[in-house]
Amino acid sequence: GEDVEQSLFLSVREGDSSVINCTYTDSSSTYLYWYKQEPGAGLQLLTYIFSNMDMKQDQRLTVLLNKKDKHLSLRIADTQTGDSAIYFCAGCWAGSYQLTFGKGTKLSVIP
Amino acid sequence: ETGVTQSPTHLIKTRGQQVTLRCSSQSGHNTVSWYQQALGQGPQFIFQYYREEENGRGNFPPRFSGLQFPNYSSELNVNALELDDSALYLCASSSAGKGTDTQYFGPGTRLTVL
């Protein structure tokens, strides 16, 4: 089945850029998502990209997709303390009804 | 536009009991998916409901069951609770019938099994 991998921790200084990385195994066409989860809360959709795109930008967020390497990244520009949270990469592969999630990357922003 | 809501927020049960969790989908959405998120893990897909029928199921035993109602709201039922069922249960709604449309999540129900 599909597998999604993420590094578990990332620490950045306030005002710097954060880059959160994700790799996946299934090469079929798909939507790929980034969700944010704050402590004790549900998942907030941040952005998504379809696999026929290379890049998507939405205000401070930039998503890059390298289909050859099956690598997805989320860049957060000008990272703020309010960006401290767990970020999940997820995919919904063709023919599937389900989102497959990575284990999440905990982003800590140092003031 | 009303977002996805879930009830209750927290629940404590003992082993062997049964529990029902509820979810109201976002307005305009007709599909509901349920996920289990254990501590420190990513969410795991339980099942999805579309037009009041189960539309796909993850690797969960039959004691996990669900319903979808004509107003698209949904219930997750878990029988014979086990300690490992302790988790955050997330409901997500979407507007497509085959699950590839964007899923929007509710705040979750935290279930503790003692």
Side-chain angles (χ1 to χ4, degrees):
Chain A
E2 304 87 1
D3 194 20
V4 178
E5 298 283 343
Q6 298 178 242
S7 52
L8 296 182
F9 301 99
L10 177 66
S11 182
V12 299
R13 292 205 174 273
E14 190 175 15
D16 288 349
S17 291
S18 308
V19 180
I20 302 170
N21 295 300
C22 170
T23 58
Y24 55 93
T25 55
D26 195 312
S27 58
S28 60
S29 61
T30 184
Y31 287 92
L32 293 155
Y33 300 85
W34 286 102
Y35 287 89
K36 175 183 180 183
Q37 187 174 39
E38 298 186 52
L43 300 180
Q44 175 193 352
L45 175 69
L46 292 177
T47 187
Y48 63 92
I49 189 168
F50 189 58
S51 54
N52 65 356
M53 298 169 66
D54 298 321
M55 186 184 86
K56 182 177 180 181
Q57 190 156 358
D58 185 359
Q59 299 182 346
R60 290 192 299 125
L61 305 179
T62 303
V63 178
L64 294 177
L65 176 60
N66 182 327
K67 291 183 284 294
K68 175 175 170 291
D69 294 339
K70 300 177 193 171
H71 181 268
L72 181 74
S73 67
L74 174 69
R75 178 177 179 268
I76 305 173
D78 187 24
T79 311
Q80 301 298 307
T81 54
D83 295 323
S84 292
I86 299 176
Y87 291 80
F88 289 96
C89 168
C92 191
W93 277 270
S96 169
Y97 310 111
Q98 66 185 68
L99 284 172
T100 301
F101 286 85
K103 290 189 175 181
T105 299
K106 183 174 183 179
L107 174 64
S108 299
V109 182
I110 305 163
Chain B
E1 185 178 87
T2 307
V4 180
T5 60
Q6 293 185 243
S7 63
T9 306
H10 297 88
L11 204 50
I12 299 175
K13 292 285 188 179
T14 56
R15 257 187 323 178
Q17 285 190 311
Q18 177 265 342
V19 68
T20 297
L21 310 182
R22 295 178 175 82
C23 171
S24 291
S25 60
Q26 184 168 312
S27 58
H29 287 180
N30 58 11
T31 302
V32 172
S33 303
W34 286 92
Y35 293 81
Q36 180 196 66
Q37 186 181 18
L39 202 61
Q41 301 295 315
Q44 297 289 317
F45 175 73
I46 303 175
F47 43 55
Q48 183 184 86
Y49 276 82
Y50 171 65
R51 290 185 175 177
E52 303 177 48
E53 292 192 357
E54 190 178 287
N55 193 38
R57 189 178 184 94
N59 190 25
F60 280 81
R63 60 189 185 85
F64 285 78
S65 63
L67 284 173
Q68 187 181 33
F69 300 98
N71 67 353
Y72 308 123
S73 66
S74 177
E75 287 183 354
L76 165 65
N77 299 291
V78 187
N79 293 322
L81 283 167
E82 300 177 0
L83 296 179
D84 284 349
D85 295 333
S86 294
L88 180 67
Y89 288 84
L90 295 162
C91 165
S93 74
S94 54
S95 61
K98 291 301 182 182
T100 56
D101 199 36
T102 302
Q103 296 184 28
Y104 295 87
F105 284 80
T109 294
R110 173 73 61 186
L111 173 65
T112 302
V113 182
L114 302 176

